[in-house]
Amino acid sequence: LLAQVDSSVGGKTAINHPLGKNMIGAFYQPQLVVCDLATLDTLPVRELSAGLAEIIKYGPIADMDFMGWLEDHMDDLLARDRTALAHAVRRSCEIKAWVVGQDEREAGLRAILNFGHTFGHAIEAGMGYGAWLHGEGVGAGMVMAAELSCRLGLVDDAFVARLKVLVQRAGLPLRGAVLDAADNAGRYLELMRVDKKAEAGEIRFVLIDGPGRACVRAAPDALVREVIDACCAG
């Protein structure tokens, strides 16, 4: 499901490096992408939820009507209702293709597709690839990014709460992983400084600049630490 709604569209081919996720790769557009919904019938539940994370991200960054639809149909998606899955896959691909069509090589706009990924990639690298599925990291990462957006005054508490409920209903973790008991926030910051969106060591986050709109910007380390501590506690 994750491949159908995200990685199959856009032409990015990459492998992981111990220092970061998707750090080595190229852009190579496919001639055709086939999304066979029948393959989802045997998908493990955990993998289904991981794919739903990449579907959920499209609402906050580009289409709040789609987020509302997901809220109304999450139970159908978890039950693998073919009609619901077809709409979710199609709309996700439409949004990603619209973004990629304007910025194939991620020089600007395409970066918004990484909502939740800066925190999520740190979880994957810090825990060791495979401990958390990519979508699980993205799910917790979206909550962390939304919380950071709220603390910067870009969205309100109600939006963050709404996203948290949707992420939880999809069967995804709400809280980020603890990477280092001694200095958890410090370990996150260390890993995020080598994220591909970082510039000269400055971490660039995809934040929600109002529901349905995303931006890429930096944030003070002290504030990021507060968010990490709050979202990894308990």
Side-chain angles (χ1 to χ4, degrees), residues 35-111:
C35 297
D36 184 353
L37 299 180
T39 62
L40 303 180
D41 292 343
T42 56
L43 192 66
V45 173
R46 188 180 174 196
E47 294 282 0
L48 183 73
S49 291
L52 289 172
E54 294 286 8
I55 292 174
I56 290 170
K57 79 175 182 188
Y58 291 114
I61 68 171
D63 186 352
M64 288 302 291
D65 287 341
F66 183 48
M67 183 168 174
W69 183 90
L70 290 172
E71 290 170 326
D72 292 339
H73 294 86
M74 183 55 69
D75 292 343
D76 297 327
L77 293 170
L78 289 168
R80 305 174 202 238
D81 176 83
R82 194 65 60 82
T83 301
L85 284 168
H87 177 75
V89 170
R90 176 182 292 274
R91 186 63 189 132
S92 297
C93 289
E94 286 173 348
I95 295 171
K96 180 158 187 180
W98 173 77
V99 173
V100 172
Q102 300 176 75
D103 180 18
E104 180 184 1
R105 295 181 178 270
E106 204 166 310
L109 179 65
R110 184 171 178 163

Side-chain angles (χ1 to χ4, degrees), residues 165-179:
V165 169
L166 188 57
V167 168
Q168 187 173 42
R169 286 182 61 201
L172 294 159
L174 284 180
R175 297 196 173 277
V178 174
L179 308 181

Side-chain angles (χ1 to χ4, degrees), residues 90-221:
R90 176 182 292 274
R91 186 63 189 132
S92 297
C93 289
E94 286 173 348
I95 295 171
K96 180 158 187 180
W98 173 77
V99 173
V100 172
Q102 300 176 75
D103 180 18
E104 180 184 1
R105 295 181 178 270
E106 204 166 310
L109 179 65
R110 184 171 178 163
I112 69 171
L113 296 170
N114 289 309
F115 174 53
H117 288 58
T118 300
F119 290 106
H121 286 170
I123 292 172
E124 289 185 84
M127 295 293 288
Y129 294 119
W132 278 45
L133 296 178
H134 176 66
E136 292 170 336
V138 170
M142 287 191 293
V143 172
M144 298 167 87
E147 182 63 35
L148 182 57
S149 302
C150 183
R151 295 188 184 216
L152 287 167
L154 303 177
V155 294
D156 58 19
D157 290 332
F159 174 82
V160 179
R162 184 179 173 187
L163 180 61
K164 284 182 178 179
V165 169
L166 188 57
V167 168
Q168 187 173 42
R169 286 182 61 201
L172 294 159
L174 284 180
R175 297 196 173 277
V178 174
L179 308 181
D180 187 329
D183 184 11
N184 188 48
R187 180 60 176 148
Y188 267 91
L189 288 167
E190 178 185 9
L191 288 166
M192 292 190 294
R193 290 197 203 285
V194 295
D195 184 87
K196 61 181 179 288
K197 293 180 297 302
E199 296 179 2
E202 182 180 63
I203 306 166
R204 309 282 289 177
F205 297 94
V206 179
L207 302 176
I208 302 305
D209 187 18
R213 299 193 313 271
C215 63
V216 181
R217 58 173 285 185
D221 280 3

